[in-house]
Every structure is written in structure tokens, then in C-alpha cells.
Amino acid sequence: TQRRRFHDKKLSKKRIDLLNSIYFSWDVLEDEWNKNYEDLKLIYIENGNSLVAHSHLLGRWCLTQRKSFKKGKLSSERIKLLEEIKFSWDVLEDEWNKNYQELKDFYEKEGNSNPSVEQNSFLYRWCGTQRRLFKKGILKKEREILLSNIKFSWGSDKEMQWNTKFNELKNSLKKDPNF
């Protein structure tokens, strides 16, 4: 009632001042958004990212922000605030890019893009997933190009394992020709 009277300009200055003195919320939805944003900002400060599990209440709020953004219903002010804490608008795309960067770093260090299970079990499985998606014809073309640029092996797991072992042997011989 007080909010409606305030909005309709039917609330006296004295009552407005009294309500303000007890930190009365004039816009509950705005205050809730700001509280969630501040909670997410704390997570960003603590972790260096603003990723929250969807099972968490704040994670569901993040999902709502992504949906509002995609529908064009998120204000530019809110977009700016979220981008200041490196909010992820597309978690799956960001995760793929993170994994790709890890593989690219591996390639630059090792000279190949075929990590063995022993070298990096997560990256090994991720590479297998990319091969399966490619063989099914559902790997995005831009991802295929990025992977090809680091000489990604599109062959079977057995072929990839052979190439990995060959590269390990080659690297060992470089370090110790008497190997």
C-alpha cells in the first residue's frame, strides 16, 4: 500500500521520510536484483569468476539473467554491471573455449594436440568428445577450424593413442638419444 501511494504521489513527505529512516524498500524487485548481484560479486572476488551451480539459488538467478539478456530484456546498466564481474552469458561456450585454450597450451608445450590419459585424463576425454562430435557431423565449423589449426588428430582413438605414444617416444629420443 505504501509503495502504491508513493508511486501515485499520494504519500506525504513526512511519511516518506519516516519510511526511509527504517530503510523501507520502495522497489522490492530492484532491491532483490541488487542483493543477488552483490552476492555474485562476492563470489567473483573470492573465486576470480562468477560461475555458480544451477542447483544453487543464485545459479538460478544467473540463468534468469542469461535468458533476459537473450530476449533483450536486460537493461544496459545491468549488462554493464554483470560484465564488470566477467559474467558468463554462455557457460557452455565459455567452458569449451577454456578447454580449447588448455589444449592449445598443451600443443604449444608438447608439439602435438593429443594428450595421453597419463598426461591429462580430462583433456584426453575432452578430445575424444570432440572427435565423436566431428564424426557425427555436429561439431561447429568454427570449432573444427580452431582444432585443425593446432593439428588436432581427427582419427580413431586407437590411431590417436598410437600417435600420442609415438610423440612421447620422439620427445624421449630428443632428450636422450640413447633411449
Side-chain angles (χ1 to χ4, degrees), residues 55-70:
S55 59
H56 190 279
L57 188 60
L58 192 56
R60 289 194 292 273
W61 179 81
C62 290
L63 188 59
T64 300
Q65 303 317 300
R66 288 182 190 100
K67 287 179 181 177
S68 296
F69 175 77
K70 286 178 183 170

Side-chain angles (χ1 to χ4, degrees), residues 6 9 16 18 31-32 35 46 49 61 69 84 94 97 108 115 124 126 130 133-134 137 141 147-148 156 167 173:
F6 175 78
K9 304 197 184 306
I16 292 170
L18 283 169
D31 292 345
E32 183 180 343
K35 181 199 174 304
E46 290 172 9
N49 67 61
W61 179 81
F69 175 77
E84 286 174 4
D94 291 347
N97 288 329
E108 290 169 358
Y124 172 82
W126 184 80
Q130 304 317 300
L133 294 173
F134 174 76
K141 189 67 178 170
L147 290 167
S148 292
S156 69
N167 284 323
L173 289 171

Side-chain angles (χ1 to χ4, degrees), residues 71-86:
K71 292 178 181 177
K73 294 184 177 186
L74 198 60
S75 72
S76 58
E77 178 185 300
R78 286 182 175 180
I79 292 169
K80 183 177 179 252
L81 285 170
L82 290 166
E83 287 180 344
E84 286 174 4
I85 59 170
K86 299 191 180 2

Side-chain angles (χ1 to χ4, degrees), residues 27-38:
D27 187 337
V28 177
L29 294 177
E30 180 72 17
D31 292 345
E32 183 180 343
W33 193 96
N34 288 329
K35 181 199 174 304
N36 286 324
Y37 172 77
E38 289 302 321

